[in-house]
Amino acid sequence: MIQLKNVSKFYYSKGVIATGFSKVNLSFDIGEFVAITGESGSGKSTLLNVISGLETYEEGEMFVEGKETSHYIEKDWEVYRRKYIGNIYQNFNLINSYTVYQNIDVILSLNGVCQKERKQKILTLLKRVDMLKYKNTKVSKLSGGQKQRVAIARALAKDVPVIIADEPTGNLDKRSAESIIELLREISKDKLIIIVTHNFEQVADYVTRKITMHDGRVLEDKKQVDFEKQNISLDQYSFKNIRLWDEIKLGIRNTFNICIKFILLFAVYSFIVCALMGEYSFFKEGEYELSKQGYNYVFQDLNDHRIIFNKKDKTFFTAEEVETIKKLKNIDYVVENDMTADYIFDFAEADETEWYNANAKSISLLKIDHLKGRLPENDNEIVLEAEEGSYALPKDPDKILNHEIFAFDPATGTLNKTEAYTIVGVRYIPEGTTSQNQLIMYVSDSKLKELHTRVHRTYSRIKIDFVNRIYQMDYYSNFLKLTPNAWIDRGKVYISEEENYRCDKFNCVGQTISVTVSNIYYTKTSYFTIAKTYNKKNINQILDLPNYNQKEYEMNYSGPIYMNIDDYEDLFSKDSYQMSVYVKDVDHINETEKQLQDMGYHTLKIKDTLVKETGVEIIRVLKIVMTLGLVFVLFFITYFVIKIILKSRNIYYSILRMLGASKKVCRNLLMIELFTVTNLSYFTFLMIAEINRRGYIHVGFINTVNRYFANIDYIILYVILILMSLFISLRYSRKLFKDSVMNTYREEM
Ligand code: ADP
Ligand code: MG
């Protein structure tokens, strides 16, 4: 069935040509048991390798079933080997980390035999070579003779017509050698067996033919005994491909098969996972911190925990609504009239050396840790709070504690000496807690209400209809300035005597004026009766203004309109049209925002109001570049390390190749192996992250990962890892298959 005509094999190495064998003419048939002998270096092994399709030949023609093979490419030889050839080697080439059973199982799996059939077949084969009782023994624990029996069983498992054995007894003692030869003789009935031996005596009684080689040529080809010519068509020999499920099982088995290799791979992969996660989260953190540092022209309190919201119908919040909001999960506190938090109140010391620009909050929100000084005891005592090292406050608390500061009147641009505050407490908070250089003043609730009215007034337009003349004004107009006074009854106003010219008989008392206040939230009109007029002389007395500055009176083109305090506050609203909540856990701020939206409110996270500075974009680009760079570097480090680790696998894959595994199968097996380790290390990391999240352990960088990673980030990193494993297995298998089976194998021995 196999015929060689003038076949020669040359080796080229470093420009030197060596002859393996030359001009060999031989033909072999099924049923023959052929022994090839000859001294070392005579070309026996080379001949067997050519016949086995493990090596190509350079000259002549080899026929299989009368068909030429000189045009065969690697793939054709793979098919040829799988269909026809079973090999037995001097050094057994078993997979040492597998049991006897698994060694045969692997070859049957590679040939697509199903699980049930496999088991049956393996047991029969093991019985035949008398190795049944060792079926669960690791091959490395067997003696040489036993190993060769397993190798024979494995060669038989493939159900091929040709068995080729290169010095199968070379490593065995006499007794074992004899039994092996007997075994081969037994199976030679319906097969072609070609065996190379040094020791012809050993096989003389069994073989049907003896070929002697010398110096690469056939010296003698002698028939020993007749053999029964078998009429077996080679068409009956066929093979199937490995089943996917068996491939997966084999790949997973290989993952854990060699403990130390698994631990090393797992360690390398865990390192990659940690390195990638660490680097990526570092940039995520940077990006997030920078994203907090934008600016805008509307809001002053840029705390990233804050959500601003109002009602879609622009009405004010009812008490019940406020209560419901306060009960939501993850709410730290609620600021009902949040405008004071965004308005800058300007203060200075009497000599105007130190200036303070503060946002106002209720004293009830002050946290008392880190507080220097004491809490306020009346409406004009305040506590100031800023980040450590910020420009908003002097570093030394003694420079400000118990100092008196005065409010600026934005309308006149001068210090209002009648509005004095004493700084009784100072609180320095750690950097990064609020927005940079923000100063917060904590005041009593009644003072906050007053300030709130002022903010509303600042942001509102005022229209006064004064005896059929209409004046449009804002907070900064000094003309007919609305001014609250405790001495006036509700619904009444006092005007300056000089305004009497507007009215009949120069007397406006008893007339009505209307005041319309409008701002982004509401428009409200109120009516007041002019109850009295005042002048320069009586103003101190009727309005109880002992400090009233006569000069100022004269400077004003027109005197203010004095009105009742409560009326004044009503005009500028005690209701809240816009509120803010501050969440406890900023990681879940989106959920809180969603809840508020579901309740029908317009919402705005402070983070979304920020105009980003260019730094954020740079960081983002940097993150991508660095991650890619790191992946690149990691890939090569990993590849290098994994290559070393896999070096021990080269033998394994070479053996699989010799047994007929294709490149694709080898690559898939390695891929499954690497995927398994990748997944194990990745999910181990996730598990540790979860344990960390629950607070059982505390690893800083995992906290960062937990904090800044979104689902998509986990997916991106997972994909990167999987791709890395894919590339590694592709590269590895390409390298493994770069050379012929024998050369790759020889390199490893
Ligand atoms: P045998 O098996 O009879 O001892 P081999 O078939 O191994 O002999 O070797 C036959 C000849 O081919 C020897 O001269 C050897 O030097 C040469 N040869 C075998 N393998 C290689 C190789 N890979 N590269 C170069 N020369 C080789
Ligand atoms: Mg040899």
Side-chain angles (χ1 to χ4, degrees):
M1 67 159 283
I2 295 174
Q3 201 176 7
L4 289 90
K5 268 197 180 152
N6 283 324
V7 176
S8 303
K9 166 78 196 168
F10 305 112
Y11 289 106
Y12 304 89
S13 57
K14 290 170 196 158
V16 181
I17 300 176
T19 310
F21 59 83
S22 66
K23 302 249 181 294
V24 167
N25 287 290
L26 287 170
S27 76
F28 303 96
D29 274 309
I30 299 219
E32 278 189 285
F33 187 177
V34 186
I36 301 178
T37 65
E39 72 266 29
S40 186
S42 58
K44 307 182 296 290
S45 297
T46 311
L47 180 61
L48 285 196
N49 289 342
V50 168
I51 295 173
S52 309
L54 289 169
E55 282 191 289
T56 53
Y57 55 91
E58 277 74 36
E59 229 177 56
E61 184 66 70
M62 182 165 103
F63 297 91
V64 175
E65 289 278 87
K67 290 190 196 92
E68 297 176 357
T69 59
S70 51
H71 62 274
Y72 273 20
I73 54 169
E74 176 78 33
K75 248 209 177 103
D76 298 315
W77 287 118
E78 250 165 36
V79 172
Y80 168 79
R81 279 207 304 276
R82 289 182 68 180
K83 249 167 118 170
Y84 301 131
I85 309 293
N87 285 99
I88 296 167
Y89 303 89
Q90 182 174 356
N91 54 5
F92 324 118
N93 281 342
L94 295 170
I95 297 159
N96 281 325
S97 56
Y98 282 8
T99 63
V100 167
Y101 186 96
Q102 287 170 336
N103 259 282
I104 300 169
D105 191 52
V106 63
I107 182 105
L108 288 174
S109 300
L110 283 175
N111 282 292
V113 181
C114 75
Q115 166 106 43
K116 222 174 101 196
E117 225 176 296
R118 281 205 310 262
K119 185 161 185 196
Q120 194 59 42
K121 225 169 159 177
I122 296 167
L123 296 180
T124 317
L125 284 166
L126 286 179
K127 207 166 179 179
R128 190 159 173 199
V129 299
D130 201 17
M131 285 294 290
L132 195 54
K133 60 172 175 283
Y134 296 103
K135 74 175 167 47
N136 291 325
T137 311
K138 273 223 168 148
V139 163
S140 51
K141 299 216 172 78
L142 298 177
S143 73
Q146 290 168 328
K147 280 184 184 167
Q148 202 57 294
R149 282 168 182 277
V150 177
I152 290 170
R154 185 178 65 180
L156 291 176
K158 234 166 85 175
D159 195 21
V160 285
V162 184
I163 302 269
I164 289 178
D166 193 348
E167 311 212 25
T169 57
N171 285 349
L172 304 183
D173 60 73
K174 202 165 160 247
R175 285 253 314 275
S176 323
E178 245 163 49
S179 72
I180 290 295
I181 298 296
E182 252 171 66
L183 187 58
L184 285 173
R185 165 75 213 175
E186 245 176 76
I187 61 175
S188 75
K189 301 256 154 53
D190 54 353
K191 290 192 193 299
L192 162 63
I193 310 253
I194 306 175
I195 168 175
V196 161
T197 178
H198 260 88
N199 186 350
F200 182 69
E201 268 78 76
Q202 210 173 50
V203 300
D205 295 342
Y206 302 96
V207 296
T208 62
R209 180 173 166 191
K210 177 189 179 190
I211 294 171
T212 312
M213 289 192 72
H214 176 73
D215 203 11
R217 284 169 193 277
V218 177
L219 199 68
E220 186 188 37
D221 184 357
K222 206 169 109 197
K223 191 166 89 181
Q224 299 293 107
V225 289
D226 277 330
F227 68 94
E228 273 177 57
K229 222 176 165 142
Q230 306 276 320
N231 260 336
I232 297 171
S233 158
L234 288 187
D235 295 340
Q236 72 169 66
Y237 297 100
S238 63
F239 64 86
K240 279 188 262 166
N241 283 323
I242 185 165
R243 289 148 187 254
L244 179 67
W245 179 232
D246 283 328
E247 201 169 57
I248 293 172
K249 272 202 301 199
L250 201 55
I252 292 176
R253 179 199 290 169
N254 289 346
T255 313
F256 304 104
N257 199 239
I258 303 169
C259 197
I260 180 80
K261 180 210 66 182
F262 168 70
I263 290 172
L264 282 175
L265 274 183
F266 185 74
V268 171
Y269 267 98
S270 298
F271 167 75
I272 303 173
V273 171
C274 289
L276 272 179
M277 292 275 185
E279 182 269 356
Y280 199 81
S281 64
F282 173 77
F283 277 99
K284 277 248 136 184
E285 182 178 13
E287 193 182 356
Y288 184 82
E289 289 305 317
L290 262 186
S291 75
K292 285 204 306 196
Q293 297 199 358
Y295 57 90
N296 69 51
Y297 295 113
V298 182
F299 301 106
Q300 286 293 316
D301 183 10
L302 302 184
N303 189 329
D304 60 331
H305 289 56
R306 176 180 180 196
I307 306 172
I308 302 147
F309 59 102
N310 60 23
K311 293 172 73 172
K312 284 187 178 154
D313 57 8
K314 298 232 165 176
T315 56
F316 55 84
F317 288 93
T318 63
E320 294 90 72
E321 284 172 316
V322 175
E323 280 316 301
T324 317
I325 291 158
K326 279 183 180 163
K327 282 193 195 106
L328 290 180
K329 234 175 68 191
N330 195 25
I331 300 273
D332 191 4
Y333 57 91
V334 178
V335 176
E336 282 177 51
N337 284 315
D338 65 358
M339 296 186 81
T340 50
D342 293 316
Y343 185 85
I344 301 177
F345 298 94
D346 298 319
F347 304 92
E349 302 213 355
D351 57 5
E352 294 191 28
T353 45
E354 289 286 348
W355 288 53
Y356 303 98
N357 316 105
N359 309 126
K361 281 189 180 177
S362 158
I363 190 72
S364 63
L365 299 177
L366 176 71
K367 303 205 163 99
I368 52 169
D369 55 320
H370 299 110
L371 177 68
K372 301 211 164 75
R374 60 172 173 84
L375 288 169
E377 280 158 9
N378 63 51
D379 284 355
N380 288 321
E381 291 184 343
I382 59 172
V383 171
L384 294 179
E385 176 189 270
E387 281 186 11
E388 257 162 26
S390 105
Y391 295 117
L393 274 182
K395 292 189 180 43
D396 179 7
D398 291 335
K399 282 208 177 127
I400 32 175
L401 270 181
N402 301 317
H403 283 218
E404 195 169 53
I405 56 175
F406 302 92
F408 264 94
D409 180 352
T412 62
T414 54
L415 271 192
N416 181 359
K417 292 280 170 65
T418 61
E419 194 181 346
Y421 298 87
T422 309
I423 305 166
V424 296
V426 184
R427 184 166 181 258
Y428 297 93
I429 51 177
E431 254 176 272
T433 320
T434 62
S435 41
Q436 261 180 337
N437 298 326
Q438 187 190 9
L439 181 66
I440 297 173
M441 67 165 179
Y442 289 93
V443 297
S444 68
D445 283 340
S446 58
K447 177 55 83 179
L448 193 68
K449 210 181 206 174
E450 192 187 314
L451 294 176
H452 180 252
T453 307
R454 184 183 302 173
V455 176
H456 250 302
R457 171 143 192 220
T458 318
Y459 287 139
S460 300
R461 297 191 61 78
I462 300 159
K463 194 170 86 183
I464 298 177
D465 184 346
F466 195 147
V467 195
N468 300 327
R469 280 210 206 188
I470 293 169
Y471 301 93
Q472 295 271 10
M473 284 167 288
D474 63 19
Y475 183 54
Y476 303 98
S477 326
N478 256 334
F479 181 66
L480 293 179
K481 189 169 184 140
L482 295 176
T483 311
N485 188 287
W487 281 50
I488 301 174
D489 292 338
R490 293 202 73 158
K492 304 271 161 41
V493 291
Y494 294 2
I495 60 163
S496 160
E497 209 175 64
E498 273 142 63
E499 300 299 331
N500 272 330
Y501 75 90
R502 299 166 186 276
C503 306
D504 281 351
K505 297 173 191 156
F506 285 92
N507 183 10
C508 285
V509 174
Q511 298 278 355
T512 301
I513 65 168
S514 83
V515 176
T516 303
V517 170
S518 45
N519 54 44
I520 55 169
Y521 301 120
Y522 61 87
T523 299
K524 184 149 75 185
T525 304
S526 305
Y527 299 91
F528 300 95
T529 312
I530 298 169
K532 259 183 198 163
T533 58
Y534 61 86
N535 58 38
K536 197 160 137 185
K537 290 193 192 84
N538 68 7
I539 185 167
N540 299 51
Q541 189 218 324
I542 67 173
L543 289 167
D544 188 33
L545 298 170
N547 299 324
Y548 197 87
N549 188 333
Q550 299 288 337
K551 243 192 209 135
E552 207 175 308
Y553 185 95
E554 270 161 21
M555 260 164 55
N556 284 343
Y557 166 70
S558 159
I561 297 177
Y562 286 98
M563 64 199 305
N564 176 280
I565 282 192
D566 293 330
D567 284 342
Y568 182 85
E569 277 186 1
D570 276 350
L571 275 182
F572 299 106
S573 175
K574 285 179 249 178
D575 301 317
S576 53
Y577 289 85
Q578 175 187 293
M579 314 210 312
S580 286
V581 291
Y582 293 73
V583 295
K584 281 190 203 126
D585 181 359
V586 76
D587 297 342
H588 295 287
I589 192 165
N590 288 344
E591 288 149 44
T592 308
E593 188 185 25
K594 178 86 197 338
Q595 281 177 325
L596 290 170
Q597 284 167 352
D598 290 346
M599 292 164 84
Y601 303 132
H602 273 305
T603 62
L604 185 59
K605 280 186 311 235
I606 206 72
K607 219 173 147 269
D608 298 336
T609 68
L610 301 181
V611 179
K612 303 285 183 292
E613 283 159 280
T614 43
V616 179
E617 294 310 316
I618 291 171
I619 270 261
R620 194 165 287 148
V621 172
L622 211 67
K623 180 185 76 179
I624 293 166
V625 172
M626 291 283 283
T627 307
L628 285 180
L630 191 80
V631 168
F632 198 70
V633 171
L634 273 180
F635 173 75
F636 280 100
I637 295 176
T638 318
Y639 182 71
F640 188 71
V641 176
I642 287 181
K643 209 170 77 179
I644 294 172
I645 298 173
L646 290 183
K647 193 112 181 121
S648 63
R649 308 293 288 152
N650 279 355
I651 279 281
Y652 172 82
Y653 283 108
S654 292
I655 292 176
L656 283 198
R657 251 184 107 187
M658 284 193 229
L659 294 176
S662 65
K663 182 174 181 168
K664 199 176 130 208
V665 170
C666 290
R667 188 193 62 208
N668 288 353
L669 287 179
L670 182 66
M671 216 168 344
I672 294 166
E673 193 173 332
L674 292 184
F675 280 1
T676 311
V677 183
T678 310
N679 280 306
L680 271 176
S681 28
Y682 185 76
F683 288 105
T684 305
F685 182 91
L686 291 194
M687 228 170 62
I688 293 174
E690 184 57 37
I691 296 173
N692 217 55
R693 201 196 311 268
R694 296 193 182 182
Y696 296 115
I697 51 168
H698 188 86
V699 184
F701 108 87
I702 296 181
N703 279 338
T704 319
V705 171
N706 278 339
R707 175 130 196 240
Y708 295 105
F709 268 40
N711 287 345
I712 183 74
D713 299 315
Y714 287 110
I715 293 171
I716 289 174
L717 287 188
Y718 185 70
V719 170
I720 289 177
L721 284 169
I722 288 291
L723 283 181
M724 243 168 90
S725 295
L726 189 74
F727 280 129
I728 289 171
S729 34
L730 283 180
R731 262 194 79 136
Y732 178 83
S733 65
R734 186 154 359 111
K735 226 192 120 234
L736 186 73
F737 278 80
K738 209 173 61 195
D739 212 343
S740 75
V741 194
M742 281 326 286
N743 284 345
T744 315
Y745 174 73
R746 264 193 294 265
E747 239 170 60
E748 297 310 321
M749 293 313 284

